[in-house]
């Protein structure tokens, strides 16, 4: 909210200020078009990164967790059999086990920790790449020419 609010309107004003009065409409619509395209493509790219790495990250976390004594004890605890059965479904057909993730709220935390940690690993990747994109945008912003606000006393624009 606050960050985007401070970014969107100054961008529109900067673009409007950089063009002649007769091209303000085209400039404004171009800013809006490219903002929407960037948001759409960015969402697709970041979600692809998140879910593209999620399976491998969870698998790696399970491989490490199954070696620990705490995880082995939780697997053998009779109170955790429902969670263990769901985790076994994940090994065969993981997609169906994640159609309804409400079981995660009641599951033993030791048993589902690899899922949570794998998701955290994937999210960390997305946030890291997002930070690089934002930092790059900030650096590029320093090279944008400094245009003074134009005085709009030039009279009405008449289409020729």
């Amino acid at each position: 909210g606050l960050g985007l609010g401070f970014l969107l309107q100054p961008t529109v004003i900067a673009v409007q200020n950089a063009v002649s009065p007769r091209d303000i409409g085209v400039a404004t619509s171009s800013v809006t078009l490219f903002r929407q395209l960037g948001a759409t493509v960015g969402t697709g790219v970041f979600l692809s990164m998140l879910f593209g790495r999620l399976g491998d990250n969870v698998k790696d976390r399970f491989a490490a967790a199954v070696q620990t004594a705490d995880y082995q004890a939780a697997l053998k605890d009779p109170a955790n059999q429902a969670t263990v059965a769901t985790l076994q479904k994940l090994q065969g057909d993981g997609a169906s086990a994640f159609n309804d993730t409400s079981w995660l709220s009641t599951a033993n935390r030791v048993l589902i920790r690899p899922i949570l940690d794998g998701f955290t690993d994937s999210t960390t990747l997305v946030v890291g790449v997002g930070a690089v994109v934002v930092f790059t945008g900030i650096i590029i912003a320093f090279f944008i020419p400094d245009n003074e606000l134009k005085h709009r006393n030039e009279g009405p624009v008449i289409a020729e």
Side-chain angles (χ1 to χ4, degrees), residues 2-47:
L2 187 62
L4 222 56
F6 283 137
L7 174 72
L8 298 181
Q9 194 58 37
T11 303
V12 170
I13 291 172
V15 169
Q16 288 175 341
N17 212 25
V19 299
S20 69
R22 74 177 306 138
D23 295 330
I24 286 179
V26 173
T28 305
S29 63
S30 295
V31 167
T32 304
L33 170 69
F34 288 112
R35 181 186 312 146
Q36 292 299 322
L37 285 174
T40 301
V41 170
T43 300
V45 167
F46 285 121
L47 285 176

Side-chain angles (χ1 to χ4, degrees), residues 39-54 119 122 125-126:
T40 301
V41 170
T43 300
V45 167
F46 285 121
L47 285 176
S48 294
M49 286 175 15
L50 175 71
F51 291 111
R53 292 291 309 148
L54 183 61
F119 197 84
S122 297
L125 170 70
V126 170

